Amino acid sequence: MTQVNRLSGGLIDRNAPLSFRFDGKTYQGHKGDTLASALLANGVRLMGRSFKYHRPRGVMTAGSEEPNALVELRSGAAQEPNTRATTAELFDGLEANSQNRWPSLAWDALAINDTFSNFLTAGFYYKTFMWPRAFWEKLYEPIIRKAAGLGSISFEPDPDQYDKGFRHCDLLIIGAGPTGLAAALTAGRAGLDVILADEDFALGGRLNAEQFDVGDQSGAHWAANTVAELASLPNVRVMARTSILGAFDHGIYGAVERVSDHLARPEAGKPRQILWRIYTKRALLCAGAMERPIGFENNDRPGIMLASAMRAYANRWAATPAQEIAVFTNNDDGHRTAADLAAKGVTVAAVIDTRENAPKTGSYEVLAGAEITGTQGRLGLRSVDVKMANGQTRRIACGALGVSGGWNPNVHLTCHQRGKPEWREDIAGFVPGAVLPQGMSVAGAAQGIFPTAACMMSGAEAATDICADLGAPTPAIDLPSTEDAPVNITPFWHVQGAKRAWLDQQNDVTAKDVKLAHQENFVSVEHLKRYTTLGMATDQGKTSNIPGLAIMAELSGKQIPQVGTTIFRPPYTPTAIGALAGRSRDEDFRPTRKTPSHVWAEEQGAQFVEVGMWLRAQYFPRPGETHWRQSVDREVLQTRNSVGICDVTTLGKIDVQGADAAAFLNKIYANGFAKLPVGKVRYGLMLREDGIAMDDGTAARFAEDHFVVTTTTANAVPVYRHMEFVRQCLFPNMDVQLISTTEAWAQFSVAGPNARKLLQKVVDAEHDISNEAFPYMACGQITVANGLRARLFRISFSGELAYEIAVPTRYGDAMIRKLVEAGKEFDAVVYGTEALGVMRIEKGHAAGNELNGTTTALNLGMGRMVSKKKDSIGSTLSERDGLNTEDALKLVGFKPVDTEHPVPAGAHLMTKGDPVNAAHDQGYITSACYSPNLGCHIGIGYLKSGDTRLGEVVRLVSPLTGLDHDVEVVSAHFVDPEGERLRA
Amino acid sequence: MIIHHPILGPRDSAEFTYLGDANLIHRPDWQAEDALAQFTDYGYQRKNPAGVHRELWFHEQGDRSWLVVTRNTVTHEITKVELARDVARAEGRDT
């Protein structure tokens, strides 16, 4: 197919033809095209269907503000919905499809919505789908979601990679138009560390879209030469295809660089996009301005676009939407479109200017004081109806119409820290307010300065001021002479009497909808936005907000600045979720921590479980075992009958040293540590300041001034943070230092009747670990395997004769192999977290399920451990009445009366004969397991006054799962209640 | 946000963990007559101002200093950063 609407000139590479597909049809374009420019060159004006009414729509802009020409780009897993055809860079093989139409773009069944538009006005959903309530979720919403909407998603994982990066600079210049380039030259030559970022792939902004010269060369040439000079400066980094998304606190900017979106697929090893966090000393906003439309009857037909966009397509991309065009304007700038297209050989049917004093700008007809009252052409513009100054109506044939309602400075980023823009009457637009994000200044069109020469001057001056601020000497810059036309505009927002004048084409909001909202007393502009949806969705109303505000002002008899604007928030343009996630997805969503015995456990075919970020061996299935409980039961019984080994490295370890180490632990723990002898370990209970149990563990005293504290796996980080808080903020004069050594030591539990015999084969002979020399709760620094330093603790979580032995982490793998080897003669078993859990429940030891953030020492049965003789964190508030009631929950054990019954954690407990409801709740099961030693399920949990109810039978209920049976209240110490084994 | 650490210079706030009101330094005397009431206020009463606020930040991904940061909760302007330990000592915490 030929490119029927391709013009001469432009910045496309005619030696690089590209082939692409749109809605299944193949077209040709050139390198340098966007999807939108290539479609226009191929005579395609119809590019999409509108959100609500499914009206045929064409491209409206030539930039990232595009509301209409949204397409699904690429296919399969890489398919991306709602991509703007105006920013999609053409590449060979590009595949795009239109959205929100069925069965085809030209014939869309749901265009029938348009016929019922009288019903589908603002607030339609709120008013209509009110009743019956249950229908909303099941019936109305699914239908509406299907009928209305934008693109579809692939439901497949994103196949691309995204990265995150950090950059630092003295000055970030946002936008590489004439203002930004002049500023970058000034600051770059002065030696500042500069980043120049622009969302476009061709830098230069409007210079690439205009005919006028800069100095003795074309604007595009001047831009290209300037960018080349900047790129040659070592202190300037030029970032094309990079959108600044937001201005954040303290001079930090977010940006997304589209590294590979202009390629069929990313180069090997390259990400698709990079999310940058840019730290700046100063930022200069040179984001330019955006043209805004005028509202008139049926102003949304394919072929009707912004005048500046039409001019950009002709000048930069050598494409025109039609061979015969017209222009509708309220200012001088619109005439430039007519002049430029006429110069390219396009027929200009007329320039319709709302001003009586419209200038005569070319050989085409200018209709002064005229308005457009209607348009024709369902799938593409055919003609416009013009009401002349003399009141007569004329129909003018044209295939495209350029509309110019004036220019809005791009103030968005100035408002990201709640800055409020201010109205300027002479340009009929908002400019940045006085309060800007820290370190930001604004220059050029973004500041309301429109003539190109003045823009360059403004950019250079702003850069000079910044250089002076940062102490860099600034050489004078000779700026070339260029376009310097004054702004001549008479505000004109919409043609009166129009029934369907589209303001927000993305959301199908008309001037009438704004009127309706006003009638229904939506006074606040924020409410107007939510009620009508004006300014929402992917374009965030970049072209529609100001005309909407103008109409709101007119209706309420206010001035535009009194109506105010809605709040601009990041991101400036739609951003792929993938870019925000970066590499933090799938298995890299967060770090994975592996224990020192991980490789060995993998070799054994262990089943692993996630515990926080740790991967721990859950159990070790043996051949012939078909159910996890077979493995776990075996591991438990073998440990209790002989000896078991378990990697317990994940427990937090904190080294506490200093003259006041014992005094410090006295503050941290509810129980006392001052009198703990060297060479001994003590269990410690840590409270939060509000008296609730925080964590538990042990503290081993290796010297008068040296303790090693352990924490639970889950609380290793918060406990360390808490201890540093107590040390630095509460007791700043204590002589004590803390360091986390969790990762420094590989630690193994060795438990069971043969534990000592096994360890005696591993521990060097000079260390006596007999029961007499190394009794229960002893600790010591020893050596293993002929001199390797190690730490030995005689502590027990399982209730057996048990030790924990620690070696430097790099010896962890060797240590597990040595222990297993030494254990062979005792038929030692290595057990995982499941068996660990079974044995601690059998022993009634509390863990995370019991220390659940609502329970106190009293609940845990450790009330008397809280020393009243000393001050410790939480001791005072633990005495509150509410925490010490007569019927306080107490930790006890539970056994089913019928031993076949389960005892699931989370089940609640009721007194026999009481109704089953919350008011009669007696407590709940916290941890449960099958006990191979008792031959039935057991549980531990909290029961009101539980310690006085041993032997009582209570009801265990779980209304959710239909459980209701009897359990007996027993001591939580199911195995060896006297503790004889662990002292053996 | 950027926090100017008194020892380490400007650091991204992402390196820190936030705790809250710096009044948490003012832990009451456990032996006071009305210790329970004092601890209740200490534990539960916060000013939550829209404006200047002194608050505790922990440099968890850094040197593990607790800092007292004076920050405007409306504008996020940070006017002062001190080591919490220095603040606690200056306020006369005795141990």
Side-chain angles (χ1 to χ4, degrees):
Chain A
M1 185 157 174
T2 53
Q3 297 172 38
V4 292
N5 283 333
R6 189 64 87 180
L7 305 173
S8 62
L11 302 178
I12 53 168
D13 183 353
R14 286 168 203 267
N15 295 320
L18 303 172
S19 179
F20 69 101
R21 287 168 77 79
F22 178 64
D23 276 347
K25 209 166 158 187
T26 303
Y27 299 92
Q28 304 296 318
H30 292 285
K31 191 170 162 53
D33 262 324
T34 62
L35 176 60
S37 71
L39 284 172
L40 288 177
N42 280 279
V44 177
R45 286 176 298 173
L46 175 62
M47 296 187 198
R49 286 275 174 172
S50 72
F51 179 74
K52 197 155 93 176
Y53 300 121
H54 292 251
R55 285 174 65 94
R57 293 278 166 80
V59 70
M60 181 175 164
T61 72
S64 64
E65 69 271 38
E66 176 60 29
N68 280 343
L70 305 182
V71 299
E72 286 168 7
L73 210 58
R74 304 172 195 262
S75 61
Q79 177 187 315
E80 189 179 33
N82 309 332
T83 307
R84 289 146 291 160
T86 49
T87 59
E89 231 174 297
L90 203 66
F91 55 83
D92 200 48
L94 177 144
E95 200 178 334
N97 285 293
S98 58
Q99 307 183 148
N100 198 32
R101 82 289 187 267
W102 183 84
S104 75
L105 186 55
W107 200 92
D108 178 359
L110 278 166
I112 195 161
N113 282 5
D114 200 27
T115 314
F116 296 111
S117 61
N118 274 345
F119 301 102
L120 295 170
T121 50
F124 165 72
Y125 299 142
Y126 306 128
K127 292 168 186 163
T128 310
F129 299 107
M130 295 278 287
W131 183 92
R133 213 170 156 170
F135 275 30
W136 174 253
E137 208 175 303
K138 294 205 171 77
L139 184 68
Y140 299 144
E141 197 187 3
I143 293 176
I144 293 167
R145 287 240 176 260
K146 200 159 161 51
L150 299 169
S152 58
I153 55 173
S154 69
F155 286 97
E156 288 180 57
D158 190 332
D160 293 315
Q161 285 192 313
Y162 301 82
D163 266 329
K164 288 186 186 179
F166 299 82
R167 281 192 172 150
H168 300 258
C169 62
D170 294 328
L171 173 61
L172 169 67
I173 298 173
I174 303 160
T179 312
L181 289 176
L185 265 189
T186 307
R189 287 180 186 169
L192 281 197
D193 188 354
V194 175
I195 292 177
L196 173 66
D198 195 292
E199 61 180 359
D200 206 333
F201 56 95
L203 303 191
R206 286 303 299 181
L207 292 178
N208 291 325
E210 303 290 355
Q211 289 276 359
F212 55 75
D213 287 343
V214 173
D216 54 1
Q217 47 190 337
S218 76
H221 270 110
W222 184 84
N225 290 336
T226 303
V227 170
E229 179 186 339
L230 291 169
S232 74
L233 295 175
N235 53 314
V236 177
R237 187 189 289 276
V238 179
M239 296 177 74
R241 300 186 176 100
T242 302
S243 304
I244 303 297
L245 301 174
F248 299 98
D249 290 309
H250 305 165
I252 301 172
Y253 289 80
V256 72
E257 181 181 10
R258 288 172 296 279
V259 179
S260 309
D261 280 1
H262 61 295
L263 305 171
R265 54 182 59 239
E267 288 173 37
K270 294 274 189 193
R272 180 185 168 216
Q273 298 179 351
I274 301 172
L275 184 73
W276 293 103
R277 183 184 288 213
I278 304 175
Y279 297 85
T280 70
K281 288 183 188 151
R282 295 284 190 283
L284 183 59
L285 183 69
C286 307
M290 266 175 210
E291 203 169 22
R292 61 196 176 215
I294 296 173
F296 55 92
E297 185 75 18
N298 286 325
N299 59 339
D300 64 333
R301 299 200 189 280
I304 300 178
M305 60 177 63
L306 293 173
S308 59
M310 184 182 272
R311 192 156 86 234
Y313 285 118
N315 290 332
R316 175 172 167 184
W317 288 290
T320 181
Q323 292 300 329
E324 192 168 17
I325 64 109
V327 170
F328 184 31
T329 185
N330 67 352
N331 66 85
D332 285 1
D333 195 63
H335 290 255
R336 192 175 280 156
T337 297
D340 284 5
L341 270 89
K344 289 258 185 184
V346 176
T347 305
V348 177
V351 175
I352 301 115
D353 193 322
T354 56
R355 300 170 297 174
E356 298 283 358
N357 59 349
K360 175 76 181 151
T361 47
S363 55
Y364 38 79
E365 190 175 14
V366 174
L367 305 174
E371 297 172 0
I372 294 185
T373 53
T375 67
Q376 290 80 39
R378 205 174 64 82
L379 299 179
L381 186 67
R382 280 201 319 273
S383 55
V384 296
D385 292 333
V386 179
K387 188 178 142 206
M388 312 285 287
N390 62 12
Q392 290 175 342
T393 301
R394 228 176 96 181
R395 180 161 290 186
I396 296 173
C398 57
L401 178 72
V403 183
S404 179
W407 291 77
N408 293 324
N410 282 336
V411 301
H412 308 73
L413 288 167
T414 68
C415 303
H416 283 182
Q417 300 289 322
R418 291 261 165 168
K420 282 201 167 27
E422 289 165 6
W423 183 255
R424 241 182 60 198
E425 204 61 48
D426 59 327
I427 59 164
F430 281 102
V431 294
V435 179
L436 295 172
Q438 183 184 319
M440 182 191 277
S441 35
V442 189
Q447 184 73 298
I449 298 165
F450 291 148
T452 309
C455 280
M456 287 185 171
M457 182 63 78
S458 149
E461 282 175 0
T464 304
D465 288 349
I466 290 165
C467 289
D469 254 17
L470 298 178
T474 327
I477 296 258
D478 281 337
L479 290 172
S481 61
T482 184
E483 179 268 336
D484 202 9
V487 176
N488 277 315
I489 179 168
T490 305
F492 185 94
W493 305 103
H494 68 124
V495 176
Q496 298 293 336
K499 289 198 188 77
R500 300 183 83 191
W502 304 90
L503 292 174
D504 184 335
Q505 299 204 18
Q506 180 152 98
N507 289 298
D508 275 347
V509 180
T510 62
K512 198 177 122 190
D513 290 319
V514 176
K515 205 171 162 189
L516 183 68
H518 175 254
Q519 276 170 9
E520 296 181 0
N521 208 23
F522 285 87
V523 178
S524 152
V525 62
E526 296 284 358
H527 290 160
L528 171 76
K529 173 175 173 174
R530 272 78 190 173
Y531 192 56
T532 62
T533 69
L534 176 91
M536 292 169 75
T538 69
D539 68 337
Q540 286 290 294
K542 291 195 175 67
T543 54
S544 62
N545 278 339
I546 305 297
L549 294 180
I551 293 174
M552 190 76 172
E554 186 182 298
L555 291 167
S556 55
K558 289 182 188 166
Q559 300 296 309
I560 290 173
Q562 290 175 290
V563 175
T565 58
T566 54
I567 297 164
F568 297 100
R569 294 184 179 87
Y572 176 66
T573 43
T575 306
I577 295 291
L580 300 176
R583 302 263 171 174
S584 301
R585 55 175 286 185
D586 304 324
E587 70 273 18
D588 295 323
F589 179 68
R590 57 183 186 182
T592 301
R593 306 174 78 183
K594 293 177 180 171
T595 63
S597 65
H598 187 86
V599 172
W600 179 87
E602 270 184 329
E603 289 167 15
Q604 306 307 309
Q607 179 71 37
F608 292 96
V609 61
E610 286 181 30
V611 183
M613 290 181 189
W614 290 98
L615 271 187
R616 296 187 73 180
Q618 192 174 14
Y619 54 94
F620 295 82
R622 287 277 169 82
E625 290 174 347
T626 55
H627 190 273
W628 64 269
R629 253 230 2 243
Q630 291 175 297
S631 313
V632 174
D633 289 356
R634 171 182 49 76
E635 290 170 14
V636 170
L637 291 172
Q638 221 168 320
T639 299
R640 292 220 188 275
N641 291 334
S642 179
V643 59
I645 302 158
C646 184
D647 189 328
V648 293
T649 302
T650 62
L651 295 179
K653 309 175 199 73
I654 299 166
D655 224 62
V656 181
Q657 298 194 32
D660 293 324
F664 177 72
L665 292 189
N666 260 352
K667 298 292 186 191
I668 290 292
Y669 285 116
N671 49 322
F673 277 82
K675 291 179 187 141
L676 181 68
V678 171
K680 285 287 185 185
V681 187
R682 182 171 290 172
Y683 174 83
L685 180 67
M686 216 175 265
L687 304 182
R688 308 192 309 218
E689 192 67 273
D690 62 1
I692 301 291
M694 178 181 184
D695 198 57
D696 68 348
T698 59
R701 191 166 203 171
F702 284 118
E704 283 298 324
D705 58 356
H706 182 199
F707 289 81
V708 172
V709 164
T710 66
T711 74
T712 58
T713 298
N715 282 333
V717 171
V719 164
Y720 179 79
R721 185 188 302 151
H722 168 71
M723 287 170 68
E724 284 290 7
F725 168 76
V726 174
R727 184 179 80 92
Q728 296 176 39
C729 300
L730 302 184
F731 304 104
N733 294 321
M734 276 195 179
D735 176 6
V736 62
Q737 300 293 329
L738 311 173
I739 189 165
S740 167
T741 62
T742 304
E743 291 86 355
W745 295 89
Q747 195 151 320
F748 300 93
S749 162
V750 180
N754 288 318
R756 185 182 301 118
K757 285 184 197 156
L758 190 158
L759 277 175
Q760 277 168 337
K761 293 175 66 181
V762 176
V763 174
D764 291 338
E766 63 265 38
H767 303 289
D768 183 359
I769 60 168
S770 67
N771 197 32
E772 296 68 38
F774 204 84
Y776 178 57
M777 294 309 249
C779 69
Q781 317 229 31
I782 55 153
T783 58
V784 296
N786 297 320
L788 173 64
R789 70 196 169 102
R791 289 170 170 177
L792 189 65
F793 311 84
R794 188 163 164 197
I795 51 180
S796 177
F797 199 43
S798 57
E800 297 298 322
L801 162 65
Y803 301 81
E804 287 187 15
I805 185 160
V807 292
T809 297
R810 62 186 177 282
Y811 298 105
D813 180 75
M815 191 65 187
I816 184 73
R817 291 173 200 276
K818 190 159 189 70
L819 289 169
V820 169
E821 182 60 31
K824 271 188 180 158
E825 67 175 272
F826 310 108
D827 195 22
V829 67
V830 179
Y831 61 93
T833 54
E834 286 296 331
L836 180 87
V838 169
M839 287 189 278
R840 72 99 187 163
I841 295 168
E842 286 180 338
K843 188 65 188 168
H845 280 150
N849 290 10
E850 286 71 41
L851 302 167
N852 61 13
T854 70
T855 52
T856 63
L858 182 75
N859 300 143
L860 286 157
M862 302 178 192
R864 276 184 295 183
M865 265 178 69
V866 183
S867 170
K868 311 287 181 211
K869 286 184 258 161
K870 61 156 184 148
D871 174 33
S872 68
I873 303 296
S875 65
T876 302
L877 288 183
S878 74
E879 291 173 34
R880 285 181 288 168
D881 292 344
L883 298 181
N884 294 280
T885 54
E886 287 280 324
D887 64 345
L889 295 169
K890 294 287 172 60
L891 186 67
V892 285
F894 300 92
K895 249 164 80 170
V897 171
D898 177 343
T899 53
E900 295 301 305
H901 280 148
V903 184
H908 276 249
L909 303 160
M910 300 287 161
T911 303
K912 297 273 284 179
D914 274 0
V916 177
N917 58 31
H920 292 84
D921 188 61
Q922 294 293 300
Y924 54 98
I925 307 290
T926 50
S927 298
C929 67
Y930 176 80
S931 165
N933 291 289
L934 277 78
C936 67
H937 289 272
I938 58 169
I940 57 173
Y942 292 107
L943 181 69
K944 284 184 177 173
S945 309
D947 54 337
T948 64
R949 296 170 73 172
L950 300 186
E952 183 182 333
V953 171
V954 295
R955 266 171 90 183
L956 175 145
V957 299
S958 171
L960 205 62
T961 54
L963 272 189
D964 186 349
H965 55 250
D966 291 346
V967 291
E968 187 191 343
V969 183
V970 296
S971 158
H973 310 296
F974 294 91
V975 170
D976 187 27
E978 303 305 321
E980 287 164 10
R981 294 191 194 183
L982 44 80
R983 291 187 175 81
Chain B
M1 290 196 295
I2 292 173
I3 294 173
H4 288 261
H5 191 298
I7 299 168
L8 300 172
R11 316 296 309 178
D12 194 301
S13 61
E15 295 175 3
F16 294 81
T17 304
Y18 180 78
L19 179 64
D21 197 330
N23 273 321
L24 285 170
I25 290 175
H26 306 143
R27 186 168 181 270
D29 175 5
W30 71 294
Q31 287 174 313
E33 284 279 315
D34 57 345
L36 191 58
Q38 283 194 41
F39 267 94
T40 304
D41 280 353
Y42 169 73
Y44 294 101
Q45 302 298 329
R46 302 282 187 277
K47 286 227 167 60
N48 192 25
V52 175
H53 190 219
R54 292 177 83 235
E55 51 198 24
L56 285 161
W57 292 72
F58 182 49
H59 198 201
E60 189 148 84
Q61 309 291 323
D63 75 340
R64 299 169 227 137
S65 289
W66 277 96
L67 304 180
V68 175
V69 176
T70 306
R71 183 179 68 106
N72 187 312
T73 57
V74 177
T75 63
H76 293 185
E77 186 190 11
I78 292 174
T79 45
K80 199 172 186 183
V81 184
E82 304 151 274
L83 288 174
R85 190 170 194 167
D86 291 347
V87 172
R89 280 177 174 155
E91 291 181 7
R93 292 208 62 88
D94 49 356
T95 42

